[in-house]
């Protein structure tokens, strides 16, 4: 992984980060090394070998900077210091080294849409209307309604409920914050402010050797500057959803291009941006087209938002969805880069969402939990784009138990939505919100990592009060027993991450074609190598090839997303096998011994899929 590019044989030169496996670490909950109940950087360093053995290439560390923790570090008060419970700047240096000596890399979380109210810049900005940093944040005078009541500059609703404006007594103006009032938005219109961001937050860490950034809320830096009211979509609220006022604004591409030129490119740093509220490929491509020189990759959220009631008011009112809906979304975002110079990402978990196995799998019995977590693993590992895993996904960590009450929830967003439901006084709204939180809340992914079956799950020493409660199931679901267990989810991940690399032409770089789009239980698709000159369909175009020119090679992925046995589709037909061709089972989530025996010769049809079984067939 040295250098910017990796030689990929006949695929040609591709940037190293395309076939890398990224792994997100949520520092508060990964590993506590000093008994204060909070995870920390030394704790993470002690587990780097675990990540290396899993097959991780890049660690993405969620924010560790100094912060009053109004939003778990996404409110930074000093970008050049580390929040003391997490460690020190020197600990980050040690972490960089620990990654690099293993051939791994480290990216940090860059939070520069906003700072904390405790940041020196904001303190200066709020000190007077004439302060030179006044325009580093977004200040506006009050408005007055027909009755002469003071109201905010616009009617916008923020992400964490409530208005996007907070009144500042001292200078008698409002400041803008898309998130909590402790997270004032920086004003990217100010060139001095932008320069300070590049220098102070990015170059500082890149100089110290970090390899790049996951860039928070990357499409919200350029606001529409008219500051007008959003249309009223919820007449019962003073605040209205208004993402069109700040997402993908008029200067966004200029800003990101500049950021890349000044603070990423000179270091060869990798970038992956968080791109919310951007559900159209035509809007996403400009960010990730290589020629545009903006971001290497982005996270597009249509899939991971399945089940939510929307982004704003009804977010936590759960909306059930069908497998065909999910497949359509995946197909859309798998294929949107085909024929372009763009790139995409693959993920089904992060720190802002419930656990994948609880949302998309089946946790009703231990067998179904294990089977579905493996099938989700196979699904992710066979999709095109750069793969991102979230801590605990590899051991099938589940949502918090549904017996836990609101007291166990700590996240500002979930708690604000719950308070809003309570304020409505409507019992059904309260119950529905609690139900939705039970599936979707950000808290589920933030509880301590389950390392082993010792008290506190090996996350912290026995007797320590952990910052969030340890899952009741830690004795059954933990990394230690899965390291030992042959058929464990963890060992399946290790295996499949290696297969993904071995067959990267198919899995990382291949084209995607959905099969059986309307099937309610089977998720099946063909992955086809992009190499070769033939444009023929796999149905008419058989097997393989290594080398330039000639035919492409293909794999068919068949995943049973149900607890019933399902017939398997005609694998040989899909692969375009001739009589003498054999379709081979490359991998199954079921027993690996079986897998070797499963060759499909002439006229053979594949056996039925067991509940939540996933398989990949190839014909080369
Ligand atoms: C991103 C982060 C989220 C945070 C928000 C504000 O969406 O992923 O955790 O609350 O930005 O920084
Ligand atoms: Ca600690």
């Amino acid at each position: 992984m040295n250098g910017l590019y990796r030689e990929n044989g006949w695929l040609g030169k591709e940037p190293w980060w395309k076939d890398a496996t990224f792994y997100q670490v949520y520092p508060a909950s990964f590993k506590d090394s000093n008994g204060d109940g909070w995870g920390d950087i030394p704790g993470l360093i002690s587990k780097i070998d675990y990540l290396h053995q899993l097959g991780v290439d890049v660690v993405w560390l969620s924010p560790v900077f100094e912060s009053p923790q109004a939003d778990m570090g996404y409110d930074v008060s000093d970008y050049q210091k580390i929040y003391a419970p997490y460690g020190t700047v020197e600990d980050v240096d040690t972490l960089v080294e620990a990654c690099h000596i293993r051939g791994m890399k480290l990216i940090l979380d860059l939070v520069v849409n906003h700072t904390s109210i405790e940041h020196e810049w904001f303190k200066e900005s709020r000190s007077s209307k004439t302060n030179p940093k006044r325009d580093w944040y977004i200040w506006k005078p009050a408005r007055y309604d027909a009755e002469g009541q003071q109201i905010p500059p616009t009617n916008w609703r923020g992400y964490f409920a409530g208005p996007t404006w907070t009144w500042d007594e001292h200078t008698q103006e409002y400041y803008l914050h898309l998130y909590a009032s402790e997270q004032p938005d920086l004003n990217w219109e100010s060139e001095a402010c932008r320069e300070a961001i590049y220098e102070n937050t990015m170059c500082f860490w890149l100089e110290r050797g970090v390899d790049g950034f996951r860039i928070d809320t990357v499409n919200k830096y350029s606001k529409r500057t008219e500051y007008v009211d959003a249309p009223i979509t919820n007449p019962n609220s003073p605040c209205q959803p208004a993402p069109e006022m700040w997402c993908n604004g008029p200067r966004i591409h200029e800003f990101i291009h500049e950021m890349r030129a000044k603070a990423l490119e000179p270091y060869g740093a990798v970038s992956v941006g968080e791109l919310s509220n951007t559900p159209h490929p035509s809007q996403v491509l400009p960010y990730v087209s290589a020629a545009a020189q903006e971001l290497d990759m982005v996270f597009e959220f249509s899939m991971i938002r399945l089940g939510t009631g929307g982004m704003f008011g009804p977010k936590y009112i759960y909306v059930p969805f069908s497998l065909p809906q999910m497949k359509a979304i995946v197909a859309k975002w798998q294929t949107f880069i085909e024929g372009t110079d763009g790139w995409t990402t693959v993920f089904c978990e992060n720190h802002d969402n419930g656990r994948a196995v609880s949302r998309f799998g089946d946790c009703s019995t231990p067998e179904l939990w294990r089977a579905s977590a493996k099938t989700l693993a196979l699904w992710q590992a066979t999709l095109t784009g750069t793969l991102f895993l979230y801590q605990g996904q590899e051991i099938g960590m589940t949502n918090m138990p549904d017996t836990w009450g609101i007291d166990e929830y700590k996240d500002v967003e979930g708690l604000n939505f719950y308070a809003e439901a309570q304020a409505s006084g409507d019992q059904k709204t309260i119950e529905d919100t609690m139900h939705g939180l039970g599936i979707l809340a950000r808290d589920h992914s933030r509880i301590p990592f389950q390392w082993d079956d010792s008290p506190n799950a090996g996350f912290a020493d026995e007797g320590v009060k952990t910052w969030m409660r340890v899952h009741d199931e830690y004795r059954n679901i933990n990394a230690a027993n899965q390291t030992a267990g042959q058929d464990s989810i963890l060992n399946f991940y290790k295996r499949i991450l290696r297969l993904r690399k071995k067959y990267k032409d198919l899995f990382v770089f291949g084209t995607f074609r959905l099969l059986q789009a309307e099937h309610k239980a089977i998720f099946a698709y063909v992955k086809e190598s992009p190499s070769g000159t033939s444009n023929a369909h796999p149905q008419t175009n058989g097997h393989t090839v290594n080398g330039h020119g000639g035919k492409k090679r293909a794999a068919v992925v068949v995943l049973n997303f149900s607890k019933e046995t399902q017939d398997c589709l005609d694998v040989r037909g899909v692969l375009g096998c001739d009589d003498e061709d054999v379709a081979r089972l490359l991998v199954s989530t079921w027993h690996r011994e079986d897998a070797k025996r499963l060759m499909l010769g002439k006229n053979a049809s594949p056996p039925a899929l067991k509940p939540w079984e996933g398989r990949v067939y190839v014909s080369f």
Side-chain angles (χ1 to χ4, degrees):
M1 294 212 349
N2 296 327
L4 280 183
Y5 292 92
R6 193 188 343 233
E7 190 57 60
N8 270 322
W10 49 263
L11 278 170
K13 278 186 185 248
E14 289 284 2
W16 64 266
W17 39 264
K18 287 194 174 178
D19 67 354
T21 299
F22 287 61
Y23 182 101
Q24 181 185 0
V25 169
Y26 199 67
S29 300
F30 198 55
K31 174 70 187 164
D32 175 19
S33 72
N34 61 354
D36 65 357
W38 282 73
D40 43 59
I41 299 168
L44 165 57
I45 294 169
S46 74
K47 295 295 184 184
I48 286 292
D49 279 325
Y50 166 86
L51 298 180
H52 189 228
Q53 281 152 21
L54 173 59
V56 169
D57 301 303
V58 185
V59 175
W60 149 22
L61 183 57
S62 280
V64 287
F65 313 107
E66 192 169 273
S67 161
Q69 306 291 328
D71 181 19
M72 288 304 293
Y74 285 91
D75 50 320
V76 180
S77 53
D78 189 333
Y79 292 93
Q80 304 191 353
K81 291 207 178 100
I82 298 300
Y83 178 55
Y86 290 151
T88 61
V89 171
E90 290 68 36
D91 288 333
V92 178
D93 294 342
T94 309
L95 175 61
V96 168
E97 210 185 300
C99 289
H100 287 178
I101 55 177
R102 289 167 178 81
M104 297 162 68
K105 293 183 191 271
L106 176 73
I107 65 171
L108 298 180
D109 214 312
L110 183 69
V111 189
V112 291
N113 174 68
H114 43 264
T115 66
S116 160
I117 40 171
E118 302 286 319
H119 196 287
E120 277 310 314
W121 296 345
F122 188 69
K123 288 186 185 164
E124 285 184 47
S125 184
R126 90 189 309 183
S127 67
S128 84
K129 284 185 178 167
T130 53
N131 184 278
K133 294 200 175 65
R134 183 67 172 180
D135 73 345
W136 285 28
Y137 293 83
I138 298 165
W139 295 95
K140 298 282 173 205
R143 291 190 299 175
Y144 296 89
D145 66 13
E147 282 85 51
Q149 291 287 325
Q150 181 180 317
I151 53 168
T154 67
N155 65 352
W156 303 348
R157 179 189 164 104
Y159 286 94
F160 295 161
T164 59
W165 300 97
T166 289
W167 177 249
D168 188 53
E169 274 300 326
H170 179 59
T171 53
Q172 298 284 300
E173 280 191 322
Y174 285 91
Y175 63 86
L176 179 78
H177 52 88
L178 303 184
Y179 295 89
S181 61
E182 294 90 340
Q183 294 168 292
D185 278 53
L186 286 159
N187 179 20
W188 279 67
E189 300 287 329
S190 156
E191 193 182 339
C193 176
R194 295 202 304 278
E195 292 294 333
I197 291 170
Y198 305 147
E199 212 23 64
N200 188 281
T201 75
M202 301 178 74
C203 299
F204 176 81
W205 288 106
L206 293 166
E207 291 287 348
R208 296 191 87 92
V210 312
D211 300 292
F213 299 101
R214 174 269 188 182
I215 310 183
D216 194 59
T217 55
V218 78
N219 58 331
K220 296 176 184 155
Y221 305 157
S222 166
K223 276 79 177 170
R224 304 218 187 293
T225 50
E226 306 87 358
Y227 291 93
V228 291
D229 278 345
I232 296 176
T233 47
N234 178 2
N236 302 322
S237 168
C239 300
Q240 306 298 324
E244 68 279 10
M245 301 295 177
W246 60 73
C247 286
N248 312 313
R251 297 181 68 189
I252 191 66
H253 293 291
E254 173 196 338
F255 292 159
I256 295 180
H257 185 78
E258 178 185 273
M259 171 196 255
R260 183 187 180 105
K262 295 198 166 164
L264 293 167
E265 198 70 53
Y267 300 89
V270 64
S271 58
V272 51
E274 186 200 25
L275 201 71
S276 60
N277 293 84
T278 311
H280 304 296
S282 62
Q283 290 175 295
V284 176
L285 264 175
Y287 288 100
V288 292
S289 148
Q293 297 277 295
E294 292 190 18
L295 299 166
D296 295 329
M297 304 172 265
V298 296
F299 298 125
E300 194 288 323
F301 290 119
S302 302
M303 209 290 294
I304 209 166
R305 296 276 188 249
L306 272 171
T308 58
M311 260 326 274
F312 293 89
K315 177 170 181 191
Y316 288 108
I317 306 298
Y318 188 71
V319 181
F321 57 90
S322 67
L323 185 63
Q325 277 173 292
M326 183 197 221
K327 292 190 287 190
I329 292 174
V330 173
K332 172 176 168 184
W333 294 106
Q334 278 289 283
T335 52
F336 89 106
I337 54 168
E338 284 176 16
T340 76
D341 65 348
W343 190 241
T344 192
T345 54
V346 182
F347 63 101
C348 64
E349 288 195 20
N350 62 29
H351 66 296
D352 290 333
N353 289 281
R355 290 291 186 173
V357 68
S358 299
R359 299 175 61 198
F360 311 125
D362 187 336
C363 297
S364 58
T365 69
E367 292 70 34
L368 291 170
W369 159 73
R370 188 177 302 106
S372 62
K374 286 190 201 173
T375 286
L376 295 179
L378 188 58
W379 169 49
Q380 294 286 293
T382 53
L383 291 178
T384 293
T386 297
L387 178 62
F388 287 77
L389 305 178
Y390 180 73
Q391 69 181 41
Q393 183 181 337
E394 77 280 14
I395 56 168
M397 277 182 67
T398 58
N399 276 357
M400 309 188 311
D402 54 16
T403 49
W404 290 10
I406 193 72
D407 291 356
E408 303 296 350
Y409 290 70
K410 307 286 176 222
D411 171 37
V412 55
E413 185 193 70
L415 293 178
N416 284 2
F417 275 72
Y418 186 74
E420 191 178 39
Q422 275 189 316
S424 77
D426 179 39
Q427 199 51 35
K428 178 148 168 43
T429 304
I430 299 172
E431 279 165 22
D432 288 351
T433 302
M434 198 58 213
H435 173 71
L437 287 170
I439 302 168
L440 303 165
R442 310 202 300 179
D443 300 83
H444 295 297
S445 54
R446 301 179 178 190
I447 59 172
F449 191 98
Q450 293 149 215
W451 290 104
D452 58 36
D453 62 4
S454 66
N456 278 329
F459 161 72
D461 290 343
E462 180 170 5
V464 167
K465 179 152 175 39
T466 57
W467 81 280
M468 278 191 86
R469 183 170 164 184
V470 172
H471 202 293
D472 303 349
E473 285 293 326
Y474 73 90
R475 287 188 195 81
N476 299 320
I477 305 178
N478 64 62
N481 69 18
Q482 294 196 31
T483 302
Q486 266 295 306
D487 285 331
S488 68
I489 300 163
L490 178 63
N491 282 324
F492 187 73
Y493 262 99
K494 287 183 187 171
R495 184 170 162 222
I496 197 74
L497 291 177
R498 283 166 179 79
L499 269 184
R500 176 175 170 80
K501 290 247 166 87
K502 184 167 175 201
Y503 299 100
K504 63 175 98 171
D505 59 314
L506 297 170
F507 300 138
V508 180
F509 295 99
T511 57
F512 174 100
R513 186 164 56 87
L514 187 63
L515 303 169
Q516 303 190 312
E518 296 308 319
H519 200 297
K520 293 193 172 55
I522 297 283
F523 195 159
Y525 44 91
V526 177
K527 293 300 302 286
E528 199 181 355
S529 155
S531 75
T533 53
S534 164
N535 288 323
H537 197 269
Q539 229 128 25
T540 53
N541 153 27
H543 49 291
T544 354
V545 133
N546 330 300
H548 303 263
K551 297 172 183 174
K552 303 175 180 185
R553 60 180 189 174
V556 51
V557 181
V558 196
L559 311 168
N560 182 358
F561 266 60
S562 81
K563 60 170 183 269
E564 283 82 41
T565 302
Q566 300 285 341
D567 288 339
C568 185
L569 48 73
D570 171 17
V571 168
R572 289 178 54 86
V574 172
L575 287 169
C577 292
D578 299 333
D579 281 357
E580 60 278 12
D581 292 333
V582 171
R584 180 167 68 92
L585 182 67
L586 184 68
V587 55
S588 160
T589 55
W590 214 250
H591 293 293
R592 38 190 316 186
E593 295 73 32
D594 289 358
K596 295 214 178 73
R597 279 187 252 125
L598 284 175
M599 298 293 233
L600 301 177
K602 187 180 170 189
N603 297 330
S605 51
L609 294 149
K610 297 185 201 291
W612 281 102
E613 180 180 0
R615 296 185 199 148
V616 179
Y617 287 96
V618 294
S619 64
F620 50 85

